[in-house]
Amino acid sequence: SPGQRPVPVLSAVPAAWLPALQLLRRGSKAVTRHWKAMHFQRQKLLALTEYLPPRPAVPPRCLPRRAPEGQQEDGYARVLRRQVEQTLRGSRMVAVCQFSSMADEDVATLRHFLRRHNIHVHFVLNEVVRPVLAQSRLRALLPLFVCRNILLVSPEAPAREMLRVLRGVPQVNLLGACIDDTILSRQGVENFARLPPLEVSQGQTVAALSLLSSQTSSLLQRGPAHLTALLDEHIRRLRGSGGSAGPPPGRGTGNH
């Protein structure tokens, strides 16, 4: 009718248009405590009264690791230890070398050249070889096992050939060796390599001993030979002069 405001007609809104989640804003709590910096005098007091534990005389990383109690020994480590024992027992020369990273082809080549002189390469773990060396005649080699090492073992003592091969491999450095139950440094191994072979040394020793005996025999025979030569010369002179070789007159057996 005239004079009245028209009432809008709301059409029916489908239910699919209504939002599935409705957020309602609530009032937040008031913050009553704010962070406040500590007074500098209190900071000084806390710094002065802070507990500082005493430093140990030996750093913990330098102490030997304690074996966990109640833990059984690994069977694989036991097998490796037994193999190391057999290798050291049947070797006349045991050389310890520091090993740097190398290509597999270079390692195979090194093995080949050393095997030609009856020298075998063994890669060992320090955890396995240390207990074995501690109970053997090679305990003096324990300080050499501090990094990645390899063992060069041989039933003979081809020190000269080993040094010749290692001279062309800078990744393998000789640290020390045990040859004929004698601990040698690198310089000692080089001095041993300069020695002549055992057969030559034995021949020189026999020649020196025979020379001494021959000189002694000649010295012992020089006096009687000289006396015999003098007597022969005296008899020859007597015969040449026509005299007799008998005793002079007045000195016979019956004249007293």
Side-chain angles (χ1 to χ4, degrees), residues 250-256:
R251 294 187 181 183
T253 306
N255 299 329
H256 293 285

Side-chain angles (χ1 to χ4, degrees), residues 17-254:
W17 291 2
L18 296 177
L21 180 64
Q22 297 181 2
L23 300 177
L24 299 179
R25 185 176 180 182
R26 300 180 180 274
S28 59
K29 296 182 179 180
V31 179
T32 56
R33 298 184 63 180
H34 295 274
W35 179 83
K36 186 178 180 181
M38 188 181 302
H39 198 269
F40 69 95
Q41 292 184 354
R42 187 176 180 183
Q43 295 180 9
K44 291 182 179 180
L45 181 62
L46 292 178
L48 291 175
T49 57
E50 183 181 2
Y51 173 73
L52 297 177
R55 294 182 177 181
V58 180
R61 64 178 179 272
C62 298
L63 297 175
R65 296 181 181 179
R66 296 182 179 179
E69 299 179 357
Q71 184 178 1
Q72 297 182 356
E73 187 180 6
D74 188 9
Y76 182 63
R78 208 164 42 241
V79 172
L80 293 179
R81 195 171 302 155
R82 191 177 308 158
Q83 292 179 356
V84 173
E85 291 178 358
Q86 295 177 357
T87 301
L88 298 180
R89 190 182 303 113
S91 301
R92 182 182 169 190
M93 183 187 71
V94 179
V96 183
C97 301
Q98 182 182 4
F99 180 76
S100 302
S101 59
M102 295 175 55
D104 296 340
E105 295 80 2
D106 298 338
V107 174
T109 305
L110 175 64
R111 285 178 180 270
H112 170 70
F113 282 106
L114 290 176
R115 196 180 295 113
R116 292 173 59 181
H117 305 289
N118 201 11
I119 304 175
H120 304 278
V121 181
H122 292 274
F123 290 85
V124 294
L125 299 176
N126 295 343
E127 295 79 6
V128 175
V129 72
R130 277 181 170 273
V132 178
L133 293 179
Q135 301 176 1
S136 65
R137 70 185 190 280
L138 306 177
R139 62 176 61 91
L141 296 177
L142 281 174
L144 301 180
F145 290 88
V146 294
C147 56
R148 191 178 181 186
N149 302 99
I150 60 175
L151 293 179
L152 305 181
V153 298
S154 175
E156 304 173 357
R160 185 179 306 173
E161 292 77 6
M162 179 185 66
L163 292 176
R164 187 184 302 113
V165 174
L166 295 182
R167 195 175 293 115
V169 186
Q171 293 85 355
V172 179
N173 299 321
L174 179 64
L175 302 179
C178 178
I179 302 176
D180 293 336
D181 297 337
T182 304
I183 304 299
L184 300 175
S185 62
R186 179 184 178 89
Q187 186 63 35
V189 176
E190 294 178 355
N191 296 337
F192 179 82
R194 298 191 190 100
L195 296 176
L198 181 60
E199 294 77 8
V200 177
S201 300
Q202 291 176 351
Q204 294 176 355
T205 304
V206 171
L209 295 177
S210 60
L211 177 62
L212 293 177
S213 61
S214 62
Q215 290 179 353
T216 304
S217 177
S218 62
L219 288 176
L220 293 177
Q221 294 177 1
R222 180 177 300 176
H226 184 61
L227 179 60
T228 303
L230 291 177
L231 293 176
D232 292 342
E233 181 66 19
H234 181 64
I235 293 172
R236 188 180 62 81
R237 288 182 180 180
L238 290 177
R239 288 177 179 177
S241 60
S244 61
R251 294 187 181 183
T253 306

